[in-house]
Amino acid sequence: MIESGALPVPLSDAVLEEEDRRKQDRHIAMLRLAKIKTDAGEGWGFIKNLSATGMMVEVHPNFELGDTVSALLTEDQELSGTVRWRKQALAGIEFSAPIDISKVLAKPSDAGQGRVSRLPRIEMKHPINLYQGSRLVHADICDISPAGICVATDFTFEIGKNLKLSVPELLDINGTVRWQSGNRVGIVFSQRLPLNDLMVWLSTFYRAARIDADELSVLNKESTADDLAINSLPFQVIGHDDLGKEILIDTMDSATEALTQFKATSKFFYRVSIRNADNVELSIGTIVLSAFAEERAAAKSQVS
């Protein structure tokens, strides 16, 4: 029997520690877009759930995760930890030290000095073709987000000018020049890129980047546009399930079309590969170079 005026019994240290542990282990379900950084590269991903001691993130299955991973929710907010498990697109990350979940869940506009934090962009270097009317301008991507892109080129653009941007793996994108500083140009897309397409493209880019540099050097120096296209024809796009079964998705004579098919079907298979007429699996770097060779050859033919 408890007397109504009795004082509350103080909790023991063991009970308090157990209560703290339960709070830390409590997972909050969420769907938060973040920039995922690893030793292999950068890409977009989703934080699926979060606790004080770790998080579960979703990235494209082709995106390599190293031992350590950082997730940037904004330019000023970074979560780092160690990969403890990976199952296809999902990965479990344990933080090096407990975090304050309330700060993570705070709105980005809470950043100091009146500056609103924006979602960090993916930094990279990748060739891109820009079309201002009928004029073709070669450039390199500096960084990219679903809403816009920064490129480097010696060409001077007119602010507010509409452009068509062409990357073989992403197809054609329309945009508008927002600013130019030196050789760097900021372009906003007329429509935000579908995040899933961007994630597939980034995973493809980093797979190509992991190819031996000597192989790419030989392809660039010794192969003409015709060599790159003809030596690999036709392209066979093959889907692989998690049991090793192979399914022929399509056969085509264009590297650009093969990359498009690769991107469109990657989400439906455990892995997708591209083979040549001799049934030899081609590296993504080889396909990318072939696609650029096709596109530039087509552009030259239109000019002539």
Side-chain angles (χ1 to χ4, degrees):
M1 184 173 182
I2 301 175
E3 296 180 6
S4 60
L7 295 175
V9 178
L11 296 174
S12 67
D13 291 342
V15 173
L16 289 173
E17 288 179 4
E18 176 65 15
E19 192 68 25
D20 288 341
R21 185 191 66 78
R22 288 179 179 176
K23 288 180 180 178
Q24 288 185 353
D25 289 345
R26 188 174 300 147
H27 287 74
I28 298 175
M30 61 192 303
L31 189 63
R32 185 79 174 267
L33 181 64
K35 171 181 172 180
I36 308 299
K37 292 176 59 178
T38 74
D39 292 338
E42 302 177 353
W44 297 112
F46 288 102
I47 298 178
K48 305 282 284 188
N49 64 44
L50 180 71
S51 74
T53 57
M55 62 183 170
M56 182 172 72
V57 300
E58 180 181 9
V59 295
H60 190 269
N62 285 342
F63 187 75
E64 284 196 355
L65 292 178
D67 293 334
T68 58
V69 170
S70 293
L72 285 83
L73 289 82
T74 68
E75 294 173 317
D76 309 307
Q77 196 175 43
E78 181 174 3
L79 304 174
S80 299
T82 303
V83 179
R84 292 306 182 196
W85 57 267
R86 173 92 191 255
K87 185 176 181 181
Q88 295 186 16
L90 297 177
I93 314 297
E94 181 184 11
F95 299 138
S96 53
I99 64 168
D100 186 339
I101 297 182
S102 61
K103 290 184 178 180
V104 175
L105 298 179
K107 294 181 179 180
S109 56
D110 290 344
Q113 301 179 350
R115 180 175 60 86
V116 177
S117 295
R118 69 176 186 178
L119 190 68
R121 297 179 173 224
I122 301 298
E123 297 180 0
M124 62 192 309
K125 185 175 181 181
H126 190 286
I128 185 172
N129 291 331
L130 308 175
Y131 293 89
Q132 182 175 285
S134 60
R135 185 181 185 109
L136 170 62
V137 178
H138 299 307
D140 288 309
I141 298 174
C142 300
D143 61 55
I144 189 170
S145 78
I149 193 170
C150 175
V151 302
T153 178
D154 294 329
F155 186 81
T156 301
F157 289 97
E158 179 183 343
I159 306 301
K161 201 72 174 179
N162 294 327
L163 304 175
K164 184 176 77 171
L165 300 82
S166 183
V167 180
E169 312 93 299
L170 275 179
L171 302 183
D172 293 338
I173 308 163
N174 294 318
T176 303
V177 178
R178 280 286 182 259
W179 56 267
Q180 181 161 5
S181 177
N183 69 339
R184 294 171 69 90
V185 183
I187 301 168
V188 61
F189 300 141
S190 57
Q191 290 184 328
R192 292 177 68 92
L193 297 183
L195 188 61
N196 192 59
D197 288 353
L198 189 55
M199 289 171 68
V200 172
W201 176 70
L202 285 168
S203 67
T204 303
F205 166 75
Y206 285 116
R207 284 182 64 188
R210 291 193 295 271
I211 297 171
D212 181 61
D214 292 337
E215 177 185 345
L216 291 179
S217 176
V218 170
L219 285 171
N220 277 317
K221 291 179 180 179
E222 298 183 1
S223 298
T224 65
D226 290 338
D227 290 336
L228 287 169
I230 295 173
N231 289 344
S232 299
L233 295 178
F235 298 104
Q236 303 174 41
V237 183
I238 310 292
H240 307 256
D241 65 18
D242 55 356
L243 299 177
K245 182 179 178 181
E246 299 181 356
I247 299 173
L248 176 61
I249 299 171
D250 207 345
T251 301
M252 50 198 66
D253 293 331
S254 166
T256 303
E257 292 177 359
L259 274 173
T260 302
Q261 188 69 273
F262 176 93
K263 182 189 73 172
T265 55
S266 289
K267 66 188 77 172
F268 302 115
F269 292 91
Y270 182 74
R271 186 174 76 90
V272 175
S273 64
I274 301 176
R275 297 176 182 168
N276 63 12
D278 297 324
N279 206 35
V280 175
E281 184 170 341
L282 302 173
S283 67
I284 296 299
T286 300
I287 302 296
V288 168
L289 288 175
S290 297
F292 268 105
E294 289 177 359
E295 187 167 283
R296 288 176 178 172
K300 288 179 181 179
S301 65
Q302 290 177 359
V303 173
S304 58

